[in-house]
Amino acid sequence: MAVAERLQKMAEEMVRHDFAAMALNAGPTLSYLTGLNFHLMERPVVMIFVPGADPAIVLPELELPKLETLPFALRVHPYGENPLGWPAVFASALGELGLGGARIGVEPRQMRLLEYELLRKACGDARFLDGSAVFAALRAKKDAAEVAAMRRAVTIAEDALTATLAKVRIGTTEKEIAAELFLQLLAHGSDLVLPFSPIVAAGPNAANPHAKPSARPLSSGDLLIVDWGAAFEGYVSDLTRTFAVGDLDEESRRIFAAVLAANEAGRAAGRPGVSCAEVDRRTRQVIEDAGYGPRFTHRTGHGLGRECHEDPYIRGDNEQLLEAGMAYTVEPGIYLPGRNGVRIEDDVVVTADGAESLSTMARELRFIV
C-alpha cells in the first residue's frame, strides 16, 4: 500500500473515531505512514495529521535532509538546539492547524512525557486521547508486500539459528550462544536493529519465560529455549524453539510433547471469523488436558509486523475476530520452576480460509548435543 493510500485510510479512520487530529512521535507507526525513520532521542520529533490538510512536522534542524524526497506536502517547523525555543515552535505548528479544543489522538505506548508536555502547552484546551483504535485499524492487516518482508525476516532468523546451533556444545554458555546468534542474524541479512535481544535459557533458567542469557554452561538434561527474531525492511519475525541437551528425564519429554501439540492446535485454529480468545482457548486446552495448565503462565501470542508486539493479542479475554492479513504468534509454553521449561513459537498470517505459518523450522524434539 502506497503512502498516499495509508494517509487517506488514516484520515477516514480519524473521522470514524471522531478525532480532529493525530499526533505521532518517532516510532513504527510514523514510519508506516510516511516512510520516515527517526529514533527516540532527547530532541523531539512530532508529526500532526489533520484530515483534509497537509500534515505538520516539528523536528530538529539536523533532521531536515530526511524530508527532501517525501512524496507528499508537509508543513515543516524546524527548531535549533536550545530547548528554550522548542515550545514556541510547537505553538506555531499547532496554531496553524487550528486545533484549539480539539480531540487529538496519540499512541499511549509511544508518546513520551517530553512530547506530550510540549503539545499540551502549545494547545492547552485540546484533549489528548488514546488513538490506538485508529492505528490498529491501519496496521493490523498486512498487505502482500508486508507479508513478503515478514517471510524474509523469518527465513533470516531460521538460517541464523541453524548456523549458530552448529557451534553449540556441552559447556557452551547461554551468553556465548546469544552472542553468536546476534552475529549470525546480521550476517544472514537482518536489519541492524533487531526486534529484541535473543533469549537463550537452559535448564532452570528455561523456567523463566523472559530470562536473560547468563554465564551458565549447558549441561546434560537441559532443555534449551531460544527465542529470537530478525528484521527485514522494518518488518520483524519472532520465533522460539526448544532443544534437548544430552539425556532428558521423562517429565521433560512429556512437557515438550504437550507444548508441541498445543502449538499445532493453535496454528490450526486461526482463520477469518475466529476470535483471538478462541485461538488461545484451543491452544491452552491441550496443556490443561496434559495436567500443566497452571504452568502455562502467559497469553498464547501477539500480533507482529513493524513491532514485535502489536495488535491483535491472542489471549483468552480478547473477542476480536481474526481477519485475512492479520499476523500473530502462537507460542505456548510450560515452565517448571527450578527445573526446565519449553516454548515453541511460530509466526502465522491469516489467509482467506485459514492461517499459514511463515516459519517452517522443525518443531519436533531435537538433541543438539
Side-chain angles (χ1 to χ4, degrees), residues 51-291:
D54 293 338
I57 187 169
V58 180
L59 80 171
E61 292 172 346
L62 63 88
E63 296 283 21
L64 285 172
K66 292 183 178 180
L67 308 181
E68 291 175 358
T69 59
L70 206 62
F72 58 90
L74 190 63
R75 306 176 191 216
V76 181
H77 299 265
Y79 60 78
E81 290 288 5
N82 187 347
L84 295 178
W86 299 353
V89 179
F90 272 81
S92 174
L94 272 73
E96 276 190 12
L97 295 171
L99 295 177
R103 286 169 47 90
I104 302 175
V106 300
E107 283 187 292
R109 293 188 305 163
Q110 194 71 22
M111 181 66 68
R112 302 179 300 181
L113 184 62
L114 172 63
E115 290 88 355
Y116 170 73
E117 283 295 300
L118 286 163
L119 289 166
R120 184 185 63 80
K121 291 174 182 176
C123 199
D125 55 348
R127 288 180 290 164
F128 293 91
L129 305 168
D130 184 351
S132 298
V134 171
F135 305 125
L138 292 172
R139 290 175 49 190
K141 292 191 289 184
K142 275 64 180 178
D143 62 25
E146 292 176 287
V147 172
M150 293 173 67
R151 194 185 303 275
R152 179 63 182 144
V154 167
T155 299
I156 291 168
E158 292 181 335
D159 290 347
L161 183 60
T162 297
T164 300
L165 291 176
K167 302 185 178 185
V168 174
R169 303 287 185 270
I170 291 283
T172 306
T173 69
E174 295 168 351
K175 280 187 175 181
E176 288 169 342
I177 297 170
E180 180 64 29
L181 180 53
F182 181 87
L183 294 174
Q184 291 293 345
L185 285 164
L186 298 183
H188 281 82
S190 177
D191 294 350
L192 290 176
V193 179
L194 299 180
F196 57 95
S197 296
I199 296 171
V200 178
N205 294 340
N208 177 359
H210 281 171
K212 289 181 62 177
S214 74
R216 182 187 182 276
L218 297 189
S219 302
S220 181
D222 285 349
L223 286 168
L224 169 65
I225 290 177
V226 182
D227 186 339
W228 83 113
F232 181 74
E233 295 182 350
Y235 288 85
V236 307
S237 57
D238 180 6
L239 307 170
T240 307
R241 291 292 184 267
T242 301
F243 304 97
V245 180
D247 295 324
L248 290 185
D249 61 32
E250 278 305 310
E251 186 166 36
S252 294
R253 292 173 181 268
R254 191 159 57 246
I255 64 173
F256 187 96
V259 171
L260 178 61
N263 172 278
E264 292 171 352
R267 287 185 287 112
R271 65 179 184 275
V274 169
S275 70
C276 296
E278 181 64 15
V279 175
D280 182 271
R281 283 191 289 267
R282 293 191 197 179
T283 307
R284 196 170 301 277
Q285 189 64 53
V286 175
I287 291 177
E288 290 176 350
D289 290 347

